[in-house]
């Protein structure tokens, strides 16, 4: 569920960041492209620091804190409703989601009684379902309300990730320095 929620937010960012900036926020030129670029850059920076961060902090606490940052930062960016605040919101979203997939996949591989390959494949399938379903879900919600309101789903999902990480036995079970994330090419 954590992988599903996190990757739904990633998919929504990939497909809707530029549309949000150019549509409701009326950004022009290169500015609409900066939303997803800022999200991706923030995600890369944090993900490249992932091993160091996961060596220092418990995965459950790290994911929870970063997801809380995403919740507050993205919600504020949406509430302010200005291109600069939206871009900053996407940066916070990238920061908050960057370690979710590596930590969740690693935790899945440690679940007692489950073959690590099957567990990681299941977590991956759930995540990719979110990535694929997220953009059409946001589009459908936007057609019923508005794009800013539809994107308001993302802070709820990141709040779920924050709470879920604290409650997940698999994420809580790894002591700092023990969790080595499964690095998936392209993520």
């Amino acid at each position: 569920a954590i992988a599903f929620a996190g990757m739904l937010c990633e998919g929504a960012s990939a497909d809707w960041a530029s549309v949000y900036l150019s549509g409701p926020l009326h950004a022009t030129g290169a500015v609409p492209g900066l939303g997803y670029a800022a999200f991706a850059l923030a995600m890369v920076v944090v993900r490249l620091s992932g091993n160091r961060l996961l060596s220092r902090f418990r995965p459950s606490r790290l994911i929870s804190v970063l997801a809380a940052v995403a919740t507050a930062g993205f919600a504020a960016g949406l509430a302010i409703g200005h291109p600069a605040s939206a871009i900053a919101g996407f940066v916070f979203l990238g920061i908050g989601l960057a370690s979710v997939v590596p930590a969740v996949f690693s935790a899945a591989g440690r679940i007692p009684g489950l073959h690590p390959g099957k567990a990681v494949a299941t977590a991956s399938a759930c995540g990719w379902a979110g990535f694929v379903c997220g953009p059409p879900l946001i589009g459908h919600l936007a057609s019923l309300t508005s794009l800013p309101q539809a994107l308001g789903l993302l802070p709820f999902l990141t709040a779920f990730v924050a709470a879920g990480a604290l409650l997940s036995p698999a994420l809580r079970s790894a002591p700092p320095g023990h969790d080595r994330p499964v690095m998936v090419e392209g993520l």
Side-chain angles (χ1 to χ4, degrees):
I2 293 168
F4 180 86
M7 288 191 70
L8 190 151
C9 294
E10 286 187 44
S13 297
D15 285 11
W16 290 103
S18 296
V19 176
Y20 173 59
L21 283 159
S22 65
L25 299 185
H26 309 293
T28 59
V31 174
L34 294 176
Y36 182 68
F39 169 84
L41 181 61
M43 184 171 268
V44 165
V45 168
V46 174
R47 197 163 281 179
L48 289 174
S49 305
N51 283 341
R52 234 183 357 234
L53 291 170
L54 288 167
S55 293
R56 195 163 174 202
F57 304 103
R58 287 191 178 277
S60 60
R61 192 157 310 248
L62 177 66
I63 298 305
S64 182
V65 168
L66 292 177
V69 166
T71 302
F74 192 73
L78 280 176
I80 294 169
H82 186 272
S85 69
I87 292 167
F90 282 109
V91 167
F92 286 116
L93 193 62
I95 290 168
L97 295 174
S99 294
V100 170
V101 166
V104 167
F105 286 10
S106 294
R110 290 189 312 272
I111 296 174
L114 289 177
H115 184 275
K118 288 181 181 179
V120 172
T122 301
S124 177
C126 290
W128 281 107
F131 191 84
V132 170
C133 294
L137 174 63
I138 296 298
H140 180 69
L141 291 173
S143 71
L144 296 174
T145 59
S146 69
L147 185 52
Q149 288 179 337
L151 288 173
L153 174 65
L154 276 56
F156 287 103
L157 291 172
T158 55
F160 169 79
V161 169
L166 289 175
L167 298 173
S168 167
L171 286 170
R172 282 194 329 244
S173 68
H178 177 74
D179 192 33
R180 294 289 174 230
V182 175
M183 300 312 287
V184 178
E185 193 171 318
L187 293 179

